[in-house]
Amino acid sequence: MNQIYDYIEAGFKVFGLHGMQGDICACGDPSCEAFYKHPVISNWQNIPNWSDEQLETFEMMGHFKTGFGVLVSGYLIIDVDARNGGVDSYKNLIELIPEIKASGFIVNTGSGNGSQHIYFKAPKTAMVQTLKAYKGIDFKTSGFVVGAGSLHKSGMLYESESGFPDEITDAPGKLIELLKKPDMIRAETSSGDIDISESSISEMLKFIDPDIGYEEWIKTGMAIHHTLSGGGFYMWDEWSSSGSKYNGSSGLERHWHSFGKSSSPAGIGTILHYARQGGYIDPVTFAYDYEKEESDKINTTDIDLLRPPGFVGDLCEWINSQCLYPREHLSVAASLCAVGSLAGMRFVDELDDMTANIIAFCVAGSGTGKEAVQQAYLKIMRAAGVQGAVHGSFKSEQELMRNLMRHQCALYSLDELGLTLRKLDNASKKGGASYLEGIIGLVMSVYSKANGYLPISGDLKDDLKTQVMQELGRIRKALDNLPADSTSEDKEKALKSEEERLESTLANIDNGLDSPFLTILGYTTPITFDSLMGFEQATNGFLSRAMIFNDLETNPKRKKNFKKTAMSDKLTAQIQNLHAPGIYDMQKRSRIEFSGSKSVIPTDDSGIAMLERVYQSFHELAEEQKSISGMEAIPRRGYEIAAKVSLILAIPEGVRNEHHIRWAYALAMRDCMQKIKLAYANANEDSTDNRTNAVAAKILSLVTKDHGETLGVICNKLRSIPKAEVKATLDKMVETDQIILDEYKNDKGRLVKKYFYRYIE
């Protein structure tokens, strides 16, 4: 690795990096994911210029066998990450500052995708590490980069594209000016942008107890990092050091370097919220005043319900990348259900004691790609190590209770859920399939007890005790018959762990289940689902609690040049930490559970005000529906849905704000209106007086402001209604501005006429 001496001769300080041993980092820590980037020397930030004898010793010890790190101090290195859009951003940066192309030393990172390090000398000036306008680029003036000649985890080498370390030139003045830290930082909050200084942040930290919970401590550090564009470590370290839990800077550094990779970082709003709780009164002024709405109506025209905010949105994007056919509504459902399932046992909403468990129906035509979404969801569950708690069918009440005793959570992913519900409905009406009777009632009871206790009925209690005793007998017999060999110790440990779990389960059957956590993600087709949404189900039954996600296009086009995106190491780690922070050996846990007090997700002031408006909006809708349809029960559940969804959106960030709640409100309102239209249409289909309104409601369930259908498609989907009646209803709806008839040319130049819902905010 002769290139290391090129760096040394140019004045750089270097140190060795760990390679790999099998599938793990050579450092020996199975949780370490810094493959080929983990310094061999722990105090790498303070290394000297090595003597020839020291370098020779390091080489003999194998420090430089796979690669070396280079301290960045005194330099500015433009780190272009192609995976996150850095290549395009770098092109834009060159257009702004063409002098960048004159860099004396450029290194290709070995990823093979266009990622690069562009080296410059730089003055000792405080500079930001990232710029929002240049996504995927880090401007590094501290820390280290991997040197040319080192091995990349891809198997390729970091290679010089042009120049040598001793040919590095000064950074262009225009670039330095662009990166200089201003005295004031403009930061985003849920209520608008604020201008704030580093000294203001330091003042806020004085009002936050450094011994707060681990989650809040991490969020505080992340918020400093995000607000100061990668700077401010000294502030987090100094604040933490005044607490009793502080154990040195090294522990903080490991977290700090990961904060810039977070998909949903906490921001200045998090610090403000924690500081205000401690008595801080903020003197900052808003940089941009925004005009408050004159009415109490919540404006959602800017909300894109296919793009959830934060980490839920990132997960949704990955699920979308697994689908050959666009199934974007279903991907939203799966991402919300995944985050709610993985984090829900640990968190609760402080205002309404709401939990993050949800029931979601994914409705899409046969053969349109539901399976891809389902498989993506299952991959997420496996990545988190909770696949033991994932179930694919409802069999009986006893089986549901056994699942909840085996693990605290029961996470159902149900294919053809509509057919299952039809069987349940038939069983209750006709007396058949007795093993299915009572399941829905038990499901609803469990669903509502996620933050309480679930009592067990007498007969079911006896059945469960018998089954647990049988399982316990098998475990004890296996323990008695363990062979005396080298593997018996691990087997005995696993069996004893299972024995303890079963003994605890048996002892607690009489007490009931503590905080059972149930989520359901079900898939069905429009034909099956639409017929189930009657008045009773929509207002009082199982479907009234569920959210409906309907991909209306029954003939979606396949994506061009489609290739599934692999789950990245970063995304895998985020998923695991969402469920169990710091626990990496997920597969060995015999019981998936959370013990201890749940963490509370606070809501900032703007969020509290918005939640009140959300409640009032659904209350007014319920009053309206009392006289129009008699379905006031549907909007009454709207607030619960909005509260649960906004909680799920907020969990990765730690504080719920107005943006989370507005997005959740838009989703809940769409869900309510969808149920009302479909239930009203089904309830009045055979009515003479309300026939026209029923047909109109069915039409409105087929189109949205973004998805239109032709007359032929609408008539085909409403084939039980005469075509002339459908056409007459459509004409009336166009005349009264309920829908729009839009004419346009398709890809082949043919004139197409489609009906769209006329959306009026």
Side-chain angles (χ1 to χ4, degrees), residues 117-158:
H117 293 157
I118 298 93
Y119 287 67
F120 291 102
K121 293 178 182 178
K124 292 285 187 178
T125 301
M127 287 183 269
V128 297
Q129 184 175 327
T130 59
L131 293 171
K132 287 185 179 180
Y134 300 100
K135 183 180 179 182
I137 295 181
D138 275 353
F139 299 94
K140 306 194 75 161
T141 56
S142 61
F144 75 91
V145 294
V146 179
S150 301
L151 190 64
H152 188 273
K153 68 178 181 179
S154 66
M156 297 190 291
L157 295 174
Y158 286 72

Side-chain angles (χ1 to χ4, degrees), residues 233-292:
F233 173 77
Y234 76 93
M235 298 170 67
W236 192 42
D237 186 43
E238 184 178 296
W239 169 71
S240 299
S241 68
S242 63
S244 62
K245 300 176 184 177
Y246 181 73
N247 62 355
S249 297
S250 58
L252 277 70
E253 285 170 352
R254 178 172 59 85
H255 291 295
W256 187 261
H257 293 300
S258 70
F259 288 161
K261 301 174 183 177
S262 174
S263 62
S264 51
I268 188 61
T270 299
I271 300 176
L272 273 169
H273 180 80
Y274 293 156
R276 286 165 179 164
Q277 287 184 323
Y280 176 76
I281 300 174
D282 42 310
V284 298
T285 56
F286 284 94
Y288 299 113
D289 292 329
Y290 62 97
E291 188 176 340
K292 290 287 184 182

Side-chain angles (χ1 to χ4, degrees), residues 563-594:
K563 185 178 180 181
K564 288 185 179 181
T565 302
M567 184 180 289
S568 67
D569 293 340
K570 174 186 174 182
L571 184 59
T572 301
Q574 288 173 318
I575 289 168
Q576 291 174 345
N577 281 310
L578 188 68
H579 174 60
I583 299 176
Y584 294 95
D585 195 6
M586 311 290 244
Q587 313 300 329
K588 293 185 179 179
R589 294 182 299 153
S590 61
R591 175 172 165 80
I592 298 164
E593 63 181 348
F594 174 75

Side-chain angles (χ1 to χ4, degrees), residues 600-710:
V600 170
I601 296 295
T603 305
D604 67 16
D605 292 343
S606 66
I608 292 172
M610 179 56 68
L611 273 175
E612 178 60 28
R613 293 177 65 194
V614 167
Y615 172 77
Q616 291 298 334
S617 178
F618 281 116
H619 180 75
E620 289 168 11
L621 181 61
E623 281 292 305
E624 180 183 299
Q625 291 300 318
K626 279 171 66 176
S627 58
I628 295 175
S629 66
M631 297 184 188
E632 64 275 9
I634 296 177
R636 284 191 62 79
R637 294 222 185 268
Y639 178 81
E640 177 185 333
I641 291 173
K644 279 180 172 285
V645 170
S646 61
L647 171 64
I648 292 170
L649 296 175
I651 283 174
E653 298 176 31
V655 177
R656 183 167 56 177
N657 60 42
E658 179 182 343
H659 182 48
H660 300 137
I661 296 163
R662 278 205 314 125
W663 193 94
Y665 166 76
L667 181 70
M669 183 58 74
R670 184 191 71 180
D671 182 76
C672 285
M673 298 311 298
Q674 197 172 356
K675 290 173 185 171
I676 289 171
K677 286 186 291 187
L678 191 54
Y680 183 86
N682 286 339
N684 292 281
E685 188 172 6
D686 298 326
S687 167
T688 302
D689 295 337
N690 297 320
R691 172 75 176 184
T692 301
N693 287 336
V695 175
K698 279 192 176 280
I699 291 171
L700 289 174
S701 70
L702 301 176
V703 298
T704 69
K705 65 185 179 70
D706 302 311
H707 176 84
E709 294 288 11
T710 64

